[in-house]
Structure formats: structure tokens, C-alpha cells
Amino acid sequence: MTATDHGSDDPYLWLEDVTGEEALDWVRARNKPTLAQFCGGRYEADFERMRAEALEVLDTDARIPYVRRRGDYLYNFWRDAANPRGLWRRTTLDSYRGDSPEWDVLIDVDELGCADDEKWVWAGATVIEPEFTRALVNLSPGGSDAVIVREFDMRTRQFIPDGFALPEAKSQIGWADPDTVLVGTDFGPDSLTESGYPRIVKRWHRGTPLSEAETIFSGTRTDVSAGANADRTPGFERSFAGRSIDFWNSELYEIRGSELIRIDVPTDASTSIHREWLLIELRSDWTLGAATYRAGSLLAAGYDEFLAGTADVQVVFEPDEHTCLHQTAWTRDRLLLVTLADVASRVEIVTPGTWRRETIAGIPPATNTVIAAADDTGDEFFLDSSGFDMPSRLLRGTGDGELEQIKSAPAFFDAENLDVQQYFVPSNDGTRIPYFVVRSRAIEGPGPTLLSGYGGFESSRTPGYSGVLGRLWLARGGTYVMANIRGGGEYGPRWHTQAMRENRHRVDEDFAAVADDLVNRGLTSVAQLGAQGGSNGGLLMGIMLTKYPEKFGALVCDVPLLDMKRYHLLLAGASWVAEYGDPDNPDDWEFISEYSPYQNISATRDYPQVLFTTSTRDDRVHPGHARKMVAALQAAGHRVWLYENIEGGHAGAADNEQAAFKSALSYSFLWRTLGGQP
């Protein structure tokens, strides 16, 4: 089945031709009036001020350079005005503690791009452990998910001419030993899943052609992907392979010679193996022997004992009505836990074996705190704490739980008079939905308000500092609202599973309930209420447009899914069938068709103004979604705006300059359409 043999009655199918000249001409013709309306003319000076302010936030050297330890060094990837594509660099802890660390630059992506005549975007590096001498560097042309891979010598700072290398593909590659990698990539016909990810994993030895690599694991075409990795921890050397059956179900095996040993946990559980321990995070209730463990629980067992069927399974964390597990990370001998209680974070350190939990002291109150990095070979970890009105602080800790503030970010806007409140509103079925409101105490009565939401894939939205949001919206008198709607993970997996597939309507009902509550509380009016969301959140915006247009004055719909009849045929769309349902199944299409924005456009309803943004290089969510929606809306007589960035991938921007431009465009649109003056 191909994308072209569906939707034959779709008059805009030709806009799915990503780089076709006819489609790109159509895009350019719609970019032009958008940029003229919100970036030029009498608004040009305001737009340029916002763009410059956003770029200053993104480029400033006063930002925290977040790091990850690899051996003796702390590694960082950094972009600024002088290095728009970025530097991969490293320093020592002693130097990092200072105000001006001495950075050893390993790769200058701008210089590399000039040498290769390619607009590379950094996509990460896999460093061999415990040697820390070589890396498999991923580079994306233009920001797409597909990357090339090159082997890099970290001692000579040179790419290895005859080293491991892969052409552009959505590859998965990792070290098995200094001369062997485990690789899943596009090996040719029938080597990819329907989602476009590797189906086959091979063991590839140095000095041999990829065509001679040995197949060690295979999934099926209907899987999302297959992959493998090796744990080279001394004394605990193991190799693993697995298949993602769908977005929420997977199987994991240990590879022992030619034998695959299944780690027999529920397929919807997440597992991690660290030294002698196995952790199991449950997404649904699990009965094991005489015990039943609740969804959202974190369990622990001895790894070897679990495989032998003799393990004593311990409960490390169990959720309640208000609290869920948010993050875990290992140091060598301790486990870090971050939990959320009504979307407020708490950090604990756990001793394996006894699984005794102790709250880490010294974390600033009323902040959102996350694990920024943890060294699973030593005792070091870094926490990042911030709030809507509080810039980030980077805290360094060790296995004893003691913290030191090692870095702090500057304030990019005056937050002294900001007020942050959390409210709850009942949705259609009575479920209480939390949301945060951030606004100046000087504001009296309704004003321009930006409501943001996501509501999918168990992704939690937590309070945090944004210099761009603060400068371009809050400091100019706007109100910001973050909705913690179902579909996310703010209350654990059940907050998500309540809103999957046929229950997807709850996401939209929750968001609409928050919108109504904002108006009912007198914080804004319909004409002054805007909303913004991207990707799955872009789908949410499309549903707000077509199902709840009377509730909003403007919408910003970023890199969205919109044609839910064909989403599973476009790029990575097939990997999300477990979340949304299968449009080719008549029973599933019955509920999908009720909300799919592209199929529910009305020529007779009044719609708020809407800005769609996407990227030609987005190879995760197809730009055809936004293109076709704009075309259909215009044909139905609606005023609609489009901006498509040629680069950027799913992030919508390939560097800080592009990100600043896109932010300024979105806020310019919101200020103009919601009646405010930036």
C-alpha cells in the first residue's frame, strides 16, 4: 500500500509532493502574504524588535551550557550568534565551575558544513564507553530525522576516512566493541518498517562492507522499529535487541550467543537494566503470582533472578490520585526519582536493594525540577530547577544527595510583578483538569491570552522558564496559560490512556473546558483568547478550529497532523496508529472521522484567524498536512495564513536565527489578531 493509492478524491493530494516545484511554488505564494502581513509594512519595526529580542535570548553567552559527563570530561553542544550551527565541545569540572570555562572544541558544525557544502544540523553523537576515544556522529541535512553517520576520532579530532559510516537514513547504531557496531538502517528492499524505521539489526565488523554484516535480529514490517544495543559496563557486559510492536508495546531480549532470551514483562511496560538491577515501569496493572501492581508503579528486581524466575519484586514507587512518576536516572550506586504531585515536582534519591527513598534537600521551592544529566558510571548528577517566573538554576549533586548550585541563567524579562496561579476545571465527564495562569498583577480584567496544550503520547507539560515567551508575550502585557489536559502524563499512564483512540475526544473537551473557564473567570474574552500547539498539539489546534471555533480569537498550529485519514501513510505516521487508531479499519475511522480536521472543514461556520507553520524538511510529520489544510480552508472561503520553513525538520527551525524568526512571527500574529499592542 502506498500513499498515492489512498485519497484519490482528495483535490490537494499533489501538495504532498514535498519538494516538487509546483508544490513549492504554491508554498512560496502563501509564505509571501504571511510575511508581508505580520513581518513587514507598518508592523515591521515591532516584528524586528521581537525577532531581535528572541535571538538575544537564544544566542546569549549567559545561558547555562548544559553538560553530560563522559569519562573525565563534561560535554556540551552550543549554538550562538558566531556559531549558528553549533559547536560540540568539552571541559573539565573544575573549569566548568568557573564563570568562563575553557572549552575544547571537537567539532565545529559550521566549519564542517562549509567544507562539505552541506547545511548540517547536529543530531548527536554516540561515544564508545568506557574508552571515550571514538564517536559515531549523526548529522542531519537541514534538520530532518534522517541522518548520515560518520566515525570520529576524539583524540585527533578528525573523522576516520575508512571508519564506520552510513548514508542518509533513519538509522540506529551503537558500539558493541571498538571494532564492532550494532546497526539498523536502510539495508535495501524490505529492510524498513511501514513507519520508515529499521526492521533488521546487524552486527557489523570494522573493515568489512555493510553488505556482509551479520543479521542478529529482525522485526516485522508492521512493527514501528527494531534496534539493539550493548552494555559494556565492566562485569555486566550484555547485548540486547528488541522490537517496538507499536508506539506503546515492545519486546526486549538479551542476546547470548545465538540465543535470544526474552525479558518477560508486559509489552506496554518500560524496562531498564543497570548493573545487577532490572527496573520495570508499568503502564497498566500487572498481576505477577499473588500480587497485582498498579499502572504507573515502578518495580525493581535482581536482573539474573528475574530471568531465572526467582526474583523478589519490590515496589519502588506507587502512584496515587495526585502523584505520578515523572523521571528516573541512575548514578553508579543510586537511583534518582522525580515525581509530580498535581504537576509540582519532587526529587528523591533511592538506595538499591532496600529501595529506601530520601527527599533531596536544597531544591528551590515552587520550581519545576528535572534531571538534566546523571553519570551511571560514577556518583554525579545535575538537576535543573526553574519556574514560569524563575530562570533556571543548575544544581550538581553526588550519591550522598548533597547539592551545590553550579550555574544560573539570567533573567530575560522583569518577572517581579508576575503572578502564577493553578486552577482546576471539570471537563465534560467531571474530571478535574489543572491549568496554570501566568500574568502581571497589574492587569485588571480580560486581556490578550495565549493558551497552550499538547495532550498526547503521555508527554507531561510542567512549569518552566522561557525567556522568549517572557519577553515577547508576558513582558508586553500578555497572559500565558498552560493546560495539563488528558493525553499527557501529568498524572501517570492513566491520564494518557483515558484519552487514546476512541476516547481522543476527551483531549479536546478538556482543552475547550479550560478555554471556557478562562473567559468565565474574567481573565480574557473570546476575541482575546488565542491558542497554540505543535505536532500532536497542532492536531489539537486543528480540532479547536473545526469543532470549537466560537471559543477562540486566533490559533497557531505548528507542524501539525491534520489529515487523519492519511496520516498513517505519510512518513512516520504508521508508528502512531496505537495512539490514534487505524483509518483503514472502518470501526476506527468511525471515531477518527468525527474529529479529523481536514475532513471536517465547514464553509458556513465562522472560524478564527489561524496561522499554520511547517517545515519542508520535516520527515516526521509530513508538511502536506498543513499545506492541504490551508488549501482546503482557502477554498472554503476562510482567511488563513501559512509559513513553511525550507529547513528545520520537526522542530521547525534549524538554528537560533530561524527559531527567533519563527517565534517573532507567531507572536506578531497573536498580537495583531487578539487586539493587543506588543
Side-chain angles (χ1 to χ4, degrees):
M1 182 182 297
T2 66
T4 56
D5 58 22
H6 280 66
S8 57
D9 58 343
D10 183 348
Y12 305 111
L13 199 64
W14 59 278
L15 288 171
E16 292 180 7
D17 183 1
V18 177
T19 57
E21 276 306 310
E22 185 180 7
L24 287 177
D25 286 344
W26 181 94
V27 167
R28 296 184 189 104
R30 278 143 189 85
N31 276 356
K32 187 175 180 180
T34 300
L35 300 181
Q37 178 72 12
F38 301 110
C39 308
R42 63 193 181 105
Y43 300 130
E44 183 175 2
D46 289 337
F47 169 81
E48 283 300 325
R49 273 194 296 272
M50 287 194 286
R51 186 195 63 77
E53 288 181 20
L55 187 59
E56 184 181 5
V57 171
L58 297 172
D59 272 350
T60 179
D61 289 340
R63 286 172 291 143
I64 295 175
Y66 292 97
V67 292
R68 173 184 175 183
R69 178 171 292 281
R70 293 181 172 104
D72 295 332
Y73 295 98
L74 300 175
Y75 287 74
N76 164 262
F77 184 74
W78 181 262
R79 290 190 180 109
D80 57 23
N83 307 280
R85 295 290 164 144
L87 304 172
W88 189 39
R89 59 189 191 170
R90 67 188 182 185
T91 190
T92 63
L93 176 61
D94 287 343
S95 180
Y96 186 65
R97 280 194 169 105
D99 293 333
S100 300
E102 295 182 7
W103 292 102
D104 175 16
V105 176
L106 298 175
I107 296 177
D108 183 324
V109 181
D110 294 274
E111 286 186 2
L112 181 63
C114 288
D116 292 344
D117 192 24
E118 180 68 65
K119 294 182 177 180
W120 293 126
V121 175
W122 180 257
T126 303
V127 178
I128 189 167
E129 298 182 17
E131 294 87 355
F132 304 105
T133 54
R134 294 196 175 191
L136 299 167
V137 171
N138 299 315
L139 297 166
S140 165
S144 61
D145 285 355
V147 298
I148 69 156
V149 178
R150 293 180 183 172
E151 186 179 1
F152 182 77
D153 190 321
M154 298 165 70
R155 297 161 297 187
T156 65
R157 293 167 178 74
Q158 298 292 322
F159 287 100
I160 300 171
D162 58 348
F164 293 111
L166 294 173
E168 184 178 349
K170 293 183 179 180
S171 302
Q172 185 265 332
I173 187 169
W175 295 100
D177 61 50
D179 293 313
T180 312
V181 294
L182 304 179
V183 57
T185 190
D186 186 349
F187 295 110
D190 199 34
S191 66
L192 300 179
T193 66
E194 292 175 357
S195 299
Y197 295 102
R199 184 183 70 80
I200 297 169
V201 183
K202 298 188 179 187
R203 185 181 286 112
W204 183 17
H205 297 289
R206 185 179 300 282
T208 64
L210 182 61
S211 60
E212 294 181 8
E214 170 197 4
T215 297
I216 59 172
F217 187 80
S218 298
T220 70
R221 280 183 49 79
T222 57
D223 289 343
V224 172
S225 64
N229 68 282
D231 183 350
R232 303 188 66 227
T233 302
F236 300 95
E237 295 88 349
R238 307 181 185 103
S239 292
F240 300 94
R243 54 189 285 253
S244 296
I245 302 167
D246 59 33
F247 201 89
W248 298 110
N249 290 273
S250 61
E251 293 177 348
L252 182 65
Y253 301 84
E254 183 183 343
I255 305 171
R256 293 185 182 175
S258 60
E259 185 181 6
L260 292 174
I261 300 172
R262 169 80 190 280
I263 300 173
D264 193 13
V265 300
T267 58
D268 65 348
S270 299
T271 58
S272 63
I273 297 99
H274 174 73
R275 302 178 70 83
E276 68 266 42
W277 301 111
L278 169 68
L279 292 183
I280 306 165
E281 186 177 349
L282 298 179
R283 296 193 70 253
S284 58
D285 292 349
W286 184 33
T287 299
L288 184 65
T292 297
Y293 304 100
R294 292 184 57 192
S297 296
L298 181 67
L299 311 178
Y303 176 73
D304 291 333
E305 290 81 2
F306 187 86
L307 291 189
T310 61
D312 180 18
V313 176
Q314 300 291 316
V315 177
V316 181
F317 170 85
E318 186 174 43
D320 59 32
E321 184 181 352
H322 297 279
T323 307
C324 73
L325 183 64
H326 183 52
Q327 238 186 334
T328 64
W330 282 100
T331 64
R332 184 186 187 280
D333 298 314
R334 295 289 188 272
L335 175 67
L336 296 169
L337 295 185
V338 179
T339 58
L340 296 179
D342 286 330
V343 205
S345 57
R346 178 184 183 186
V347 185
E348 297 171 290
I349 193 163
V350 184
T351 301
T354 64
W355 305 106
R356 183 170 178 266
R357 293 159 51 187
E358 299 175 77
T359 300
I360 295 179
I363 294 173
T367 58
N368 175 58
T369 302
V370 296
I371 303 165
D375 178 14
D376 63 2
T377 66
D379 67 350
E380 180 183 62
F381 61 90
F382 293 93
L383 304 176
D384 183 70
S385 284
S386 70
F388 289 121
D389 56 354
M390 183 182 296
S392 285
R393 304 175 187 182
L394 187 64
L395 309 171
R396 179 180 180 271
T398 54
D400 59 8
E402 295 296 317
L403 295 178
E404 63 169 318
Q405 181 172 307
I406 197 167
K407 298 286 180 185
S408 61
F412 290 107
F413 59 97
D414 184 0
E416 183 177 352
N417 291 317
L418 281 185
D419 182 55
V420 179
Q421 296 289 335
Q422 185 182 41
Y423 298 101
F424 293 81
V425 60
S427 190
N428 284 18
D429 63 357
T431 302
R432 295 173 74 243
I433 308 302
Y435 66 93
F436 290 92
V437 175
V438 188
R439 61 173 4 202
S440 171
R441 296 184 184 92
I443 298 175
E444 296 182 4
T449 298
L450 173 58
L451 169 61
S452 69
Y454 187 76
F457 297 94
E458 207 174 315
S459 178
S460 301
R461 307 193 70 231
T462 52
Y465 191 84
S466 169
V468 173
L469 170 71
R471 280 193 166 187
L472 274 57
W473 189 251
L474 294 172
R476 286 171 157 82
T479 296
Y480 176 70
V481 181
M482 186 178 75
N484 301 112
I485 55 181
R486 282 175 289 183
E490 289 87 344
Y491 290 94
R494 285 178 174 154
W495 198 245
H496 169 245
T497 55
Q498 288 180 58
M500 293 175 66
R501 292 175 46 82
E502 64 270 17
N503 294 317
R504 168 77 204 189
H505 61 89
R506 290 174 175 161
V507 178
D508 321 323
E509 291 166 359
D510 292 357
F511 198 74
V514 174
D516 285 342
D517 204 47
L518 292 170
V519 174
N520 293 338
R521 289 182 185 273
L523 297 172
T524 190
S525 64
V526 168
Q528 295 172 301
L529 179 57
Q532 183 173 19
S535 192
N536 173 79
L539 170 59
L540 175 63
M541 295 302 106
I543 296 170
M544 292 301 108
L545 180 72
T546 52
K547 287 187 69 175
Y548 300 97
E550 71 284 352
K551 298 183 185 296
F552 300 94
L555 297 168
V556 178
C557 186
D558 296 320
V559 290
L561 288 90
L562 294 165
D563 181 358
M564 299 305 287
K565 188 173 186 178
R566 287 178 51 77
Y567 84 90
H568 61 313
L569 305 174
L570 300 173
L571 301 176
S575 64
W576 309 319
V577 167
E579 180 84 5
Y580 300 122
D582 181 0
D584 289 338
N585 181 324
D587 292 335
D588 287 6
W589 177 243
E590 185 174 352
F591 60 77
I592 296 172
S593 65
E594 290 293 316
Y595 70 79
S596 180
Y598 188 57
Q599 281 76 32
N600 281 281
I601 293 171
S602 169
T604 59
R605 298 185 74 178
D606 291 331
Y607 286 164
Q609 289 202 54
V610 56
L611 169 66
F612 292 92
T613 72
T614 188
S615 165
T616 310
R617 291 293 306 189
D618 190 345
D619 58 352
R620 192 181 313 171
V621 175
H622 199 291
H625 284 280
R627 293 176 180 180
K628 296 196 304 177
M629 190 75 175
V630 168
L633 284 166
Q634 289 181 333
H638 298 291
R639 193 177 192 189
V640 59
W641 307 94
L642 173 71
Y643 174 66
E644 180 173 320
N645 186 18
I646 302 303
E647 286 192 301
H650 193 51
D655 55 35
N656 289 347
E657 187 172 345
Q658 292 179 18
F661 183 94
K662 181 175 172 293
S663 293
L665 170 63
S666 296
Y667 286 113
S668 179
F669 167 80
L670 288 165
W671 281 118
R672 306 308 164 203
T673 53
L674 299 180
Q677 293 296 323

